[in-house]
Amino acid sequence: LFSFFPLICPLILSSSYQSSEDPGAFAVATNGEPFPWYHLRLPNSVIPLHYDLFVHPNLTSLDFVASEMIEILVRDTTQFIILHCKDLEIMNATLQSEEDLRDKKPGKKLHVLSYPAHEQIALLVPEKLMADLRYYVAIDFQGKLANGFEGFYKSTYRTLHGETRIIAVTDFQPTQARMAFPCFDEPLFKANFSIKIRRESRHIALSNMPKVKTIELQGGLLEDHFATTVKMSTYLVAYIVCDFNSVSGTTSSGVKVSIYASPDKWNQMHYALQASLKLLDFYEKYFDINYPLPKLDLVAIPDFGPGAMENWGLITYRETSLLFDPRTSSVSDKMWITKVIAHELAHQWFGNLVTMEWWNDIWLNEGFANYMELISVNATYPELQFDDYFFDVCYAVITRDSLNSSRPISKPAETPTQIQEMFDAVSYNKGACILNMLKDFLGEEKFQEGIIHYLKKFSYRNAKNDDLWGSLSNSCLEGDFTSGGICYSDSQVKSDTLAFLEENKIKEMMTTWTLQKGIPLVVVKQDGFLWHIPLTYSTSSSNTIHRHILKSKTDTLDLAEKTTWVKFNVDSNGYYLVHYEGHGWDQLITQLNQNHTLLRPKDRIGLIHDAFQLVSAGRMTLDKALNLTRYLQHETSSPILLKGLSYLELLYHMMDRRNISDVSENLKRYLLWYFKQMIDTQSWSDEGSAWDRMLRSVLLRLACELGHAPCIQKATELFSQWMESSGNIPTDVLKIVYSVGAQTTAGWNYLLEQYELSVSSAEKNKILYALSTSRHQEKLVKLIELGMEGKVIKTQDLAALIHAIARNPKGQQLVWNFVRANWTDLLKKFDLGSFAMRTIISSTTSFFSSKDELQEVKQFFESLSAQGSHLDIFQIVLETITKNIKWLEKNLPTLRTWHQREDTRLLQYMYLHF
């Protein structure tokens, strides 16, 4: 009976997957027949060589019809072909041999079975497929344009005249190509793709490769044929049907680069084009490998889940990650856009040209792309001082990595939910940081040679951890070897490093970083050291950078007799914390107060960071960390001031959220007095270097949040002028002005109106943040309702909105209650393992710091797990809350006492000076 109906690859509602490890396991297809494969991973008996894919989306009925012919190579004799397929309706499936195709014989009909638990279909062949022969599988199918952000989905935008227009776009990483066409949806199954798109004349079609021809069809339809792609994984396939405009340029090697966006945003595309051309030129020279495609399109999508996606030749972005509006985009926006473009362009080599074998090593894609942001942006936009930004890449993940619930960089992942969870700070940030540490250890030239070797050796192939370590141990290309199988072209590589390479110890060292979770702690004592990492250090008696490769857990270094202090982890290039026992910290604090410039700027940032991390770890008292920050009054480096301010502000918000009013008021008074001179000298402008501008934004935002009267007065004045005349506000203070304006009902309502009208995603982001700072709960409820509705506030921005409201003391309990009450509805909008859902979970709970709140969260997570919904983030959140509780219990009395002493110092100072 079932064979008479079109076969459907059903939607997966449960996150539970059958185990594939039991050799006695069996699977049952939806029609009750035995399904011939029970593993989550596809068999390798059949591999794809080429897909010929035709797609015709209907942007009125919001569905699509499609067909494909897959050329396959049979490795082992088999009677079935297993493909991935999800939410698609299979109309027909046939098989031809090479002989059938040559003789133009019709294909043999295939019996199709569906196993939705694994998102797989089986094509049962009438006769065995013979090893080493090629066959051709033809499938006709259709589906709905998805409502979310995965597979082949619809996106909408509104024109300046209020018209809503629809486009169709794909996003396939990591496991969603199967939602658009039946395929071998695993990164190891690379193939070539020839794509045809049918469309109306009012639209254009884009895909990975350039268009080679357009055929006019009856009824006014057009069919675009695109050149065949290079060999690549399914998750990199992309196509779009839209009515966008573009600006274009050409790189020095002749690659055409185009930026696409909705027609009203033409004036916001130019910075992205300039940045893309510079960065693509840089990468081609740095990697010594030309970008292999004739064109590269970067497209701003109105509705998009991640920040961007590196589809080969057709990179897709959130509008906020690509479009720069000179009128409303701040210097922080420019930094973000530059960083994201650099990241996605790096993927054209790391990820696209060389792809990880499986998702457990996604860090080989994402960690490298994050690391290459540092190298490429420093080279192409030195004025942005991106190496100072890179600190936060490492510092952001250290907090997570210090939890017992952290994970190794490389970790098994099988189900789609587990794979989605691999896209986290550990893969991206920690991956980048250990690469930066290894580069510092090997030397820049040696490291660059190693990654060029890696890219050339594995081009159009897949790689794993060991392949990278092998290339870095031996960075010679064929024919470049000298005695012993090692080539040494870098005269700067030190003898101890060469010995290390000769012993082939890179793999031995680096697997301790990729296969173990956590962050090492180096304890510096008077009589020895404890570590397991490549160390760098400088001392009070010499500015020389000393290096020491440790071959055991403990070792002793002989320092000069006149040394008063030693600073490890020079320039914070190492991924480890350092604790100075005995008088070590006191000596460093004394030096900072006497002459902080004797320590390198990056070392001063590292000291501030390590001190507060050690407080959280219970290895250092809070008052000592706070004493270290006193010198900041004399600091002139903006990145260092921003780091110090971030920790002091964090303390204030923790007290404010817990309503510990005596301490929060003391902290407020301390911050406003201690940084008063800096705050009062800030101009409300966009002048200065990138970091000076970012410091200005943070100082003025903090001053207004803390109720500093001159700040609120100036912001109110600018907001009133803007409401009356829509005059321009300097971009770096736009968010501050909007946030102050949002505190009145009239201002809040006006901002919401402007949010609907604005065509600048940068401005909309700032307005939405400002709206979320309201102290009126009914207004926060209104925002959540608009976010759930998805019209005024797009669904893509819902997670960020919930995060912003959770940071508001008046909104934290509100959004926590909302998430629990609307969990099922949220899962209809976002996948369980998606970044959006993980953001919603962590942002609404991670600020909690009481035992009652911990119990509440624990009960909610247990109820979800009982329903089959489990995420690693659950344990991370529970451990974070537990840590918050312990931190308060241990450090609140110390914080009170320290502030009492500071109040006394302040009174003495005022008495002496006034």
Side-chain angles (χ1 to χ4, degrees):
L1 178 66
F2 289 110
S3 59
F4 288 99
F5 293 93
L7 181 120
I8 297 176
C9 310
L11 174 68
I12 310 302
L13 295 175
S14 169
S15 64
S16 299
Y17 279 74
Q18 284 192 3
S19 168
S20 59
E21 301 306 316
D22 180 5
F26 67 94
V28 178
T30 50
N31 66 354
E33 293 182 37
F35 193 80
W37 189 251
Y38 57 86
H39 295 282
L40 274 166
R41 299 275 292 272
L42 298 181
N44 57 14
S45 53
V46 175
I47 60 169
L49 302 175
H50 179 264
Y51 293 77
D52 204 324
L53 177 64
F54 162 80
V55 184
H56 179 198
N58 187 321
L59 301 192
T60 303
S61 58
L62 303 180
D63 51 20
F64 64 93
V65 294
S67 62
E68 65 182 350
M69 179 176 281
I70 311 174
E71 180 184 355
I72 60 171
L73 173 65
V74 177
R75 283 176 164 173
D76 299 309
T77 301
T78 182
Q79 204 147 2
F80 57 83
I81 301 164
I82 307 297
L83 297 170
H84 285 111
C85 183
K86 181 181 177 183
D87 299 349
L88 298 174
E89 193 174 316
I90 307 296
M91 311 304 292
N92 189 43
T94 60
L95 178 78
Q96 290 176 295
S97 65
E98 284 190 289
E99 185 181 351
D100 292 337
L101 196 67
R102 187 173 58 248
D103 297 340
K104 298 183 179 179
K105 291 182 180 178
K108 299 179 181 70
K109 192 171 181 63
L110 299 173
H111 184 48
V112 185
L113 299 176
S114 173
Y115 188 48
H118 289 179
E119 301 175 356
Q120 293 171 356
I121 57 171
L123 308 179
L124 306 186
V125 298
E127 299 173 0
K128 283 187 177 180
L129 303 180
M130 305 308 295
D132 301 321
L133 294 183
R134 297 187 182 197
Y135 295 86
Y136 299 84
V137 177
I139 304 175
D140 299 324
F141 58 98
Q142 63 187 27
K144 297 282 186 184
L145 291 175
N147 286 316
F149 308 98
E150 297 168 335
F152 194 23
Y153 70 93
K154 70 177 177 70
S155 173
T156 63
Y157 73 93
R158 200 167 74 163
T159 68
L160 278 174
H161 304 295
E163 177 192 356
T164 297
R165 294 184 181 175
I166 298 171
I167 69 167
V169 62
T170 60
D171 189 45
F172 293 160
Q173 192 181 50
T175 60
Q176 281 84 40
R178 63 194 67 174
M179 296 174 67
F181 58 99
C183 57
F184 297 80
D185 200 11
E186 294 177 6
L188 199 57
F189 291 111
K190 291 192 170 187
N192 304 100
F193 297 80
S194 299
I195 295 173
K196 304 178 185 72
I197 307 288
R198 194 169 291 179
R199 60 177 173 87
E200 295 179 50
S201 58
R202 64 194 172 103
H203 294 130
I204 61 168
L206 302 170
S207 190
N208 303 86
M209 297 296 287
K211 185 172 63 175
V212 292
K213 67 177 178 180
T214 299
I215 299 173
E216 293 188 17
L217 305 171
Q218 290 183 343
L221 292 176
L222 302 173
E223 188 173 287
D224 294 327
H225 293 212
F226 296 90
T228 300
T229 70
V230 294
K231 194 177 179 183
M232 65 186 195
S233 304
T234 48
Y235 77 87
L236 296 170
V237 174
Y239 39 89
I240 300 170
V241 176
C242 62
D243 61 347
F244 287 179
N245 291 343
S246 65
V247 294
S248 301
T250 306
T251 66
S252 58
S253 63
V255 178
K256 182 182 179 182
V257 177
S258 303
I259 313 296
Y260 285 85
S262 56
D264 296 330
K265 296 175 181 176
W266 181 86
N267 67 326
Q268 300 177 38
M269 302 186 217
H270 301 286
Y271 177 72
L273 178 62
Q274 174 206 98
S276 302
L277 291 168
K278 288 177 75 170
L279 286 160
L280 200 60
D281 275 339
F282 170 80
Y283 282 136
E284 287 192 321
K285 292 182 180 70
Y286 186 87
F287 295 136
D288 192 32
I289 301 171
N290 282 339
Y291 173 75
L293 309 186
K295 65 91 175 174
L296 175 63
D297 299 333
L298 297 82
V299 189
I301 306 298
D303 300 277
F304 203 66
M309 175 57 209
E310 65 266 20
N311 316 300
W312 216 343
L314 183 63
I315 308 176
T316 43
Y317 293 79
R318 275 198 179 211
E319 291 182 334
T320 49
S321 299
L322 189 67
L323 302 181
F324 183 84
D325 181 3
R327 189 180 58 85
T328 61
S329 296
S330 66
V331 67
S332 296
D333 295 325
K334 177 174 279 192
M335 181 83 86
W336 174 254
I337 290 166
T338 312
K339 162 186 155 66
V340 178
I341 292 174
H343 184 101
E344 302 309 323
L345 265 59
H347 271 313
Q348 307 303 294
W349 286 266
F350 283 102
N352 299 9
L353 185 65
V354 180
T355 312
M356 75 276 139
E357 282 192 3
W358 184 248
W359 301 106
N360 62 305
D361 279 336
I362 186 59
W363 85 274
L364 289 174
N365 288 19
E366 301 301 348
F368 254 113
N370 258 25
Y371 168 75
M372 288 310 303
E373 293 171 16
L374 169 66
I375 303 303
S376 63
V377 177
N378 266 350
T380 53
Y381 289 92
E383 68 275 14
L384 292 179
Q385 297 172 260
F386 194 79
D387 53 343
D388 288 325
Y389 182 94
F390 192 76
F391 284 117
D392 282 332
V393 171
C394 301
Y395 294 161
V397 72
I398 283 173
T399 301
R400 153 83 186 272
D401 209 21
S402 64
L403 299 174
N404 192 48
S405 52
S406 187
R407 66 168 181 84
I409 288 176
S410 186
K411 174 195 169 187
E414 295 296 325
T415 71
T417 297
Q418 290 169 351
I419 291 166
Q420 282 183 316
E421 285 196 277
M422 293 295 289
F423 290 78
D424 66 358
V426 173
S427 292
Y428 283 72
N429 296 24
K430 185 175 180 180
C433 297
I434 68 164
L435 290 170
N436 187 53
M437 178 176 66
L438 186 57
K439 179 261 296 181
D440 185 60
F441 169 58
L442 294 177
E444 285 199 37
E445 187 179 338
K446 186 70 184 173
F447 186 79
Q448 184 179 353
E449 287 173 0
I451 61 176
I452 289 172
H453 179 263
Y454 170 77
L455 288 171
K456 289 186 174 180
K457 183 175 181 179
F458 295 98
S459 288
Y460 305 104
R461 294 164 58 198
N462 299 75
K464 53 188 182 298
N465 272 342
D466 288 355
D467 298 321
L468 175 62
W469 309 141
S471 290
L472 287 167
S473 294
N474 184 0
S475 57
C476 312
L477 297 175
E478 299 300 324
D480 291 342
F481 296 96
T482 58
S483 63
I486 302 288
C487 72
Y488 307 127
S489 60
D490 184 358
S491 60
Q492 303 302 312
V493 176
K494 298 151 199 70
S495 59
D496 53 359
T497 303
L498 291 179
F500 195 84
L501 292 169
E502 285 175 332
E503 294 167 17
N504 196 26
K505 291 293 181 69
I506 286 184
K507 176 184 173 183
E508 182 182 327
M509 179 176 79
M510 294 311 295
T511 52
T512 68
W513 297 93
T514 57
L515 302 183
Q516 295 181 139
K517 66 183 178 182
I519 177 165
L521 173 66
V522 175
V523 180
V524 182
K525 302 180 181 179
Q526 291 178 335
D527 58 354
F529 305 85
L530 177 66
W531 57 75
H532 193 199
I533 38 184
L535 288 175
T536 57
Y537 65 96
S538 60
T539 70
S540 58
S541 56
S542 169
N543 204 34
T544 304
I545 299 176
H546 303 275
R547 297 174 185 273
H548 188 70
I549 302 174
L550 293 173
K551 296 179 174 66
S552 60
K553 287 187 177 181
T554 62
D555 207 344
T556 301
L557 298 179
D558 294 323
L559 304 178
E561 285 184 16
K562 294 182 180 179
T563 297
T564 56
W565 55 260
V566 59
K567 167 66 176 69
F568 279 81
N569 198 3
V570 176
D571 285 338
S572 296
N573 283 317
Y575 187 76
Y576 54 92
L577 300 174
V578 184
H579 180 38
Y580 304 90
E581 288 197 339
H583 298 294
W585 277 108
D586 295 329
Q587 291 162 344
L588 287 163
I589 291 169
T590 299
Q591 183 61 69
L592 287 170
N593 286 318
Q594 288 177 351
N595 182 3
H596 61 272
T597 61
L598 288 185
L599 285 153
R600 293 174 172 83
K602 293 178 181 179
D603 286 338
R604 304 201 294 271
I605 287 185
L607 286 172
I608 294 169
H609 169 264
D610 285 6
F612 282 95
Q613 287 293 330
L614 290 166
V615 172
S616 292
R619 301 296 294 254
M620 184 171 173
T621 59
L622 178 59
D623 55 349
K624 187 164 286 191
L626 289 168
N627 288 343
L628 186 150
T629 66
R630 280 183 181 149
Y631 99 93
L632 288 172
Q633 256 186 331
H634 309 293
E635 182 60 77
T636 56
S637 165
S638 294
I640 300 172
L641 286 165
L642 282 167
K643 178 51 63 181
L645 269 170
S646 71
Y647 284 112
L648 295 171
E649 188 180 352
L650 194 65
L651 292 177
Y652 167 74
H653 285 304
M654 184 186 291
M655 298 302 116
D656 189 37
R657 234 179 252 112
R658 293 286 292 128
N659 200 27
I660 306 172
S661 55
D662 62 321
V663 182
S664 64
E665 285 302 311
N666 280 338
L667 272 164
K668 182 190 295 188
R669 186 166 59 250
Y670 175 78
L671 284 164
L672 289 175
W673 172 74
Y674 209 75
F675 294 100
K676 183 178 188 303
Q677 186 177 356
M678 271 184 232
I679 292 167
D680 290 346
T681 55
Q682 298 300 317
S683 64
W684 292 69
S685 69
D686 290 337
E687 297 168 359
S689 70
W691 280 96
D692 289 343
R693 292 171 65 182
M694 285 190 278
L695 177 63
R696 174 188 302 131
S697 297
V698 168
L699 280 170
L700 293 177
R701 174 189 55 75
L702 182 60
C704 283
E705 281 182 7
L706 297 180
H708 188 47
C711 182
I712 292 173
Q713 183 180 344
K714 180 64 176 178
T716 302
E717 178 187 318
L718 288 171
F719 188 78
S720 298
Q721 291 171 2
W722 177 68
M723 279 184 68
E724 291 166 10
S725 62
S726 294
N728 287 341
I729 300 169
T731 60
D732 293 336
V733 297
L734 204 53
K735 186 188 285 189
I736 303 161
V737 172
Y738 287 167
S739 297
V740 171
Q743 302 314 306
T744 68
T745 298
W748 196 91
N749 290 335
Y750 183 75
L751 281 166
L752 186 57
E753 290 170 12
Q754 294 306 304
Y755 182 87
E756 291 191 59
L757 296 172
S758 177
V759 294
S760 165
S761 54
E763 181 177 41
K764 288 172 88 79
N765 257 14
K766 294 174 179 65
I767 293 175
L768 194 58
Y769 172 83
L771 293 170
S772 75
T773 64
S774 173
R775 297 286 169 156
H776 299 285
Q777 285 208 341
E778 69 276 9
K779 290 182 169 57
L780 301 179
V781 170
K782 171 76 170 173
L783 289 178
I784 295 170
E785 289 171 351
L786 291 172
M788 288 296 284
E789 186 184 46
K791 293 177 181 176
V792 174
I793 299 174
K794 283 181 169 287
T795 302
Q796 69 168 5
D797 298 317
L798 179 58
L801 172 65
I802 289 172
H803 186 198
I805 294 174
R807 292 173 64 89
N808 181 342
K810 298 292 184 185
Q812 183 175 2
Q813 192 62 41
L814 177 72
V815 285
W816 168 232
N817 292 340
F818 162 79
V819 167
R820 286 183 292 169
N822 294 273
W823 180 258
T824 304
D825 291 332
L826 288 169
L827 279 181
K828 291 175 184 174
K829 297 178 181 293
F830 309 108
D831 268 7
L832 176 66
S834 66
F835 179 75
M837 282 304 286
R838 285 180 280 142
T839 298
I840 289 168
I841 293 164
S842 62
S843 66
T844 53
T845 55
S846 293
F847 294 129
F848 287 150
S849 55
S850 74
K851 290 178 180 177
D852 287 344
E853 289 166 334
L854 174 63
Q855 193 58 30
E856 229 177 51
V857 174
K858 192 175 182 181
Q859 286 174 353
F860 179 59
F861 287 168
E862 286 172 351
S863 72
L864 296 179
S865 296
Q867 299 166 29
S869 297
H870 179 76
L871 293 172
D872 290 346
I873 195 77
F874 292 173
Q875 192 55 41
I876 292 167
V877 164
L878 293 174
E879 191 177 348
T880 300
I881 299 172
T882 302
K883 201 170 180 180
N884 293 345
I885 294 167
K886 290 178 179 177
W887 193 100
L888 272 175
E889 289 174 350
K890 181 170 183 176
N891 294 298
L892 183 56
T894 305
L895 187 56
R896 274 202 173 98
T897 304
W898 188 84
H899 269 295
Q900 287 165 3
R901 288 202 304 266
E902 287 304 301
D903 283 347
T904 303
R905 286 180 67 244
L906 174 57
L907 289 170
Q908 290 171 343
Y909 176 88
M910 293 175 71
Y911 177 78
L912 289 171
H913 291 81
F914 300 102

